[in-house]
């Protein structure tokens, strides 16, 4: 009887919150537990930095640094660097965390159960050797129900043994870094970046067919998908999705910057310069990737006669709330060009007419508009293929630099 009580006491203590100095250093496996039973798994690492603890959220080749990690008694509070989300969790005697991931939306907060274990570097368990290698290009159709409207994407995957990395390319950008496994004939992929939490699962029927696909996104969203391998599959040209209504058009906009000062594209700082206009938002992961690239590029090229201006479409029309979100985003990526608050949300069906009526219609975020030295629009590019897309990112950089070289001649 005493031995039974002792075992019970040990088991209970492992599940009891405890006061400790910090989180266990090293790799962790985490999961977001949806009400429908879906589990979106991801990984992070805990490290020390200048006397404090930091976290790196890891997805394939990405290591997203998270600086705000605060311990209070038996609780930990982790604020993501952008996207306005955070974790609140209790720390247990066995080192695990249990709590909530909270997203702060424009009009409400939403949350999902969160659990994490230290010392686990794997993302998904592999119980069987992979029966297929899915490396390659996969045209994919996502749909809510069979026979209903579908959306098109192209999956690109690289498999080594049972380990898989890749992404889905869409006309408006990519799904960023996906990481997972092939377990027997089952595909499992996931990612988490503080905004998007994704899980993809599918049955690998043969070398060219994925069936029974299930896509879980965030707290409640879900879709089905199917895919067939085709190396020749292509998306629509990103420069044709949104264009100017009339050739030779010049933009004409004025919005407040982060200090509330009105800034116009007609201002002196933009005259006789090539200008990159970012249609962006702090909530947008592809915008994050684009801004990270442009920040480094601008530092090296700003003396060539080029300017950048960001038009921020935040999830609220409230200036102060939008300013706070955009400021954090700009600080994170060392943005040194004007960030303007449009006061229009990305969900507004009239966003193009209210902000850039010279265009045929904004189809996605980011959208990048290139102006020559006379102020005329020479190209409108929808979406961004970020570093998670491999060769497509390298192609983007080559094409971007070739275009800018022409505009700056």
């Amino acid at each position: 009887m005493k031995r039974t009580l002792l075992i019970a006491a040990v088991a209970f203590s492992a599940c009891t919150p405890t006061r400790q100095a910090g989180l266990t250093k090293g790799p962790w496996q985490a999961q977001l537990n949806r009400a429908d039973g879906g589990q979106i798994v991801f990984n992070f690492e805990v490290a020390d930095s200048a006397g404090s603890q930091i976290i790196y959220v890891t997805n394939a080749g990405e290591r997203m640094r998270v600086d705000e990690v605060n311990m209070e008694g038996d609780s930990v509070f982790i604020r993501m660097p952008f996207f306005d989300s955070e974790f609140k969790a209790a720390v247990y005697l066995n080192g695990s965390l249990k709590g909530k991931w909270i997203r702060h939306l424009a009009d409400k907060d939403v949350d999902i159960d969160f659990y994490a274990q230290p010392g686990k570097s794997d993302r998904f368990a592999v119980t069987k050797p992979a029966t297929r290698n899915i490396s390659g290009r996969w045209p994919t159709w996502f749909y809510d129900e069979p026979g209903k409207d579908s959306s098109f994407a192209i999956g690109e995957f690289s498999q080594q043994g049972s380990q898989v990395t890749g992404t889905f390319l869409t006309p408006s950008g990519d799904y960023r870094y996906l990481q997972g496994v092939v377990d027997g004939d089952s595909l499992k992929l996931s990612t988490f970046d503080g905004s998007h939490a994704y899980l993809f699962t599918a049955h690998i029927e043969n070398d060219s067919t994925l069936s029974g696909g299930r896509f879980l996104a965030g707290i409640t969203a879900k879709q089905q998908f199917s895919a067939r391998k085709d190396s020749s599959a292509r998306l629509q040209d990103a420069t044709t999705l949104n264009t100017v209504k009339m050739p030779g058009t010049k933009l004409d906009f004025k919005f407040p910057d982060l200090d509330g000062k009105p800034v116009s594209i007609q201002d002196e700082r933009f005259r006789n310069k090539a200008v990159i206009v970012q249609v962006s938002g702090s909530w947008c992961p592809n915008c994050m990737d684009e801004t990270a690239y442009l920040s480094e590029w601008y530092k090296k090229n700003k003396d060539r006669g080029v300017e950048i201006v960001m038009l921020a479409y935040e999830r609220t029309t409230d200036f102060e709330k939008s300013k706070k979100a955009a400021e954090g985003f700009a600080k994170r990526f060392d943005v040194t060009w004007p960030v303007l608050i449009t006061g229009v949300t990305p969900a507004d069906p009239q966003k193009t007419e209210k902000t850039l009526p010279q265009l045929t219609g904004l189809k996605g975020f980011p959208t990048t508009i290139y102006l020559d030295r006379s102020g005329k629009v020479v190209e409108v590019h929808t979406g961004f293929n970020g570093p998670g897309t491999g060769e497509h990112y390298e192609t983007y950089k080559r094409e971007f630099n070739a275009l800018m070289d022409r505009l700056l001649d």
Side-chain angles (χ1 to χ4, degrees):
M1 182 66 175
K2 290 182 179 179
R3 184 170 180 271
T4 301
L5 289 174
L6 178 60
I7 292 173
V10 171
F12 176 77
S13 65
C15 298
T16 302
T18 182
R19 186 181 300 272
Q20 64 179 58
L23 303 178
T24 302
K25 290 189 290 184
W28 287 65
Q29 183 195 74
Q31 59 193 43
L32 302 174
N33 297 314
R34 292 168 41 123
D36 61 8
Q39 292 184 336
I40 301 177
V41 182
F42 64 97
N43 299 102
F44 63 87
E45 298 173 10
V46 176
D48 290 331
S49 176
S52 299
Q53 287 197 315
I54 59 173
I55 286 174
Y56 291 97
V57 177
T58 57
N59 297 291
E62 179 183 51
R63 286 167 58 84
M64 180 183 290
R65 180 176 173 130
V66 182
D67 297 309
E68 293 189 51
V69 182
N70 298 304
M71 298 289 301
E72 295 182 14
D74 61 6
S75 299
V76 62
F77 302 88
I78 304 167
R79 177 166 286 278
M80 298 303 292
F82 20 72
F83 308 137
D84 206 8
S85 74
E86 64 182 320
F87 293 92
K88 295 181 179 180
V91 184
Y92 289 78
L93 287 176
N94 62 0
S96 64
L97 300 177
K98 186 175 182 180
K100 298 285 188 180
W101 175 48
I102 304 165
R103 295 193 65 196
H104 302 291
L105 304 179
D107 57 347
K108 62 180 178 179
D109 291 349
V110 294
D111 62 59
I112 186 173
D113 289 343
F114 161 72
Y115 177 74
Q117 295 176 268
K120 294 194 68 174
S121 58
D122 59 317
R123 182 164 295 221
F124 300 101
V126 177
T127 62
K128 302 173 186 176
T131 61
R132 308 281 180 181
N133 190 305
I134 66 164
S135 296
R137 198 167 176 84
W138 295 77
T140 306
W141 290 264
F142 291 91
Y143 48 89
D144 295 327
E145 296 179 31
K148 300 292 185 180
D149 290 343
S150 62
S151 59
F152 181 69
I154 295 178
E156 289 206 340
F157 309 121
S158 176
Q159 182 178 340
Q160 299 290 331
S162 294
Q163 303 301 308
V164 181
T165 57
T167 194
F168 286 97
L169 305 169
T170 77
S172 61
D174 64 276
Y175 282 51
R176 306 192 74 251
Y177 298 88
L178 303 180
Q179 179 179 345
V181 300
V182 171
D183 183 19
D185 60 3
S186 296
L187 171 65
K188 302 174 185 178
L189 291 164
S190 68
T191 192
F192 175 79
D193 60 19
S195 174
H196 294 150
Y198 292 157
L199 172 68
F200 301 86
T201 59
H203 172 62
I204 308 170
E205 285 194 20
N206 50 51
D207 289 335
S208 61
T209 306
L210 299 179
S211 64
R214 188 171 71 145
F215 170 35
L216 303 183
I219 296 172
T220 59
K222 58 184 177 181
Q223 285 187 306
Q224 302 175 58
F225 71 89
S226 60
R228 293 191 63 84
K229 195 172 187 179
D230 181 356
S231 61
S232 65
R234 295 291 183 270
L235 294 171
Q236 183 177 342
D237 186 338
T239 63
T240 65
L241 294 169
N242 182 16
T243 61
V244 290
K245 293 177 180 177
M246 296 290 292
T249 292
K250 294 185 179 182
L251 300 183
D252 185 15
F253 60 77
K254 180 189 289 185
F255 301 107
D257 65 12
L258 297 179
D259 295 322
K261 177 184 176 182
V263 174
S264 168
I265 192 63
Q266 309 301 330
D267 289 348
E268 181 65 29
R269 69 177 295 161
F270 302 116
R271 289 179 189 167
N272 301 315
K273 294 182 180 179
V275 181
I276 300 169
V277 181
Q278 283 185 283
V279 174
S280 192
S282 65
W283 49 271
C284 165
N286 289 138
C287 302
M288 173 183 72
D289 288 336
E290 180 188 54
T291 303
Y293 174 75
L294 288 178
S295 181
E296 291 303 312
W297 183 89
Y298 185 62
K299 291 173 186 175
K300 299 174 183 176
N301 293 275
K302 61 183 178 180
D303 294 332
R304 296 173 64 191
V306 62
E307 289 289 344
I308 305 177
V309 58
M310 178 188 292
L311 306 185
Y313 296 70
E314 298 301 325
R315 285 176 164 162
T316 173
T317 57
D318 182 275
F319 177 82
E320 291 301 325
K321 290 181 179 179
S322 296
K323 172 185 172 179
K324 181 179 179 182
E327 276 183 333
F329 184 88
K331 180 179 179 181
R332 182 72 179 195
F333 295 107
D334 194 22
V335 172
T336 55
W337 54 85
V339 176
L340 312 186
I341 304 299
T342 64
V344 177
T345 69
D348 189 331
Q350 297 294 309
K351 57 183 175 288
T352 308
E353 292 78 2
K354 291 178 179 179
T355 57
L356 295 167
Q358 299 84 10
L359 304 186
T360 57
L362 295 171
K363 301 295 194 300
F365 291 81
T367 291
T368 313
I369 309 165
Y370 298 91
L371 313 182
D372 65 15
R373 290 183 184 273
S374 71
K376 293 179 182 179
V377 176
V378 297
E379 184 172 294
V380 182
H381 188 284
T382 300
F384 183 80
N385 290 325
T389 67
E391 66 178 71
H392 299 286
Y393 180 55
E394 298 305 316
T395 298
Y396 158 78
K397 290 192 288 185
R398 288 194 298 271
E399 293 177 349
F400 170 84
N401 279 285
L403 173 60
M404 295 311 302
D405 285 344
R406 292 198 302 273
L407 294 179
L408 295 172
D409 276 347

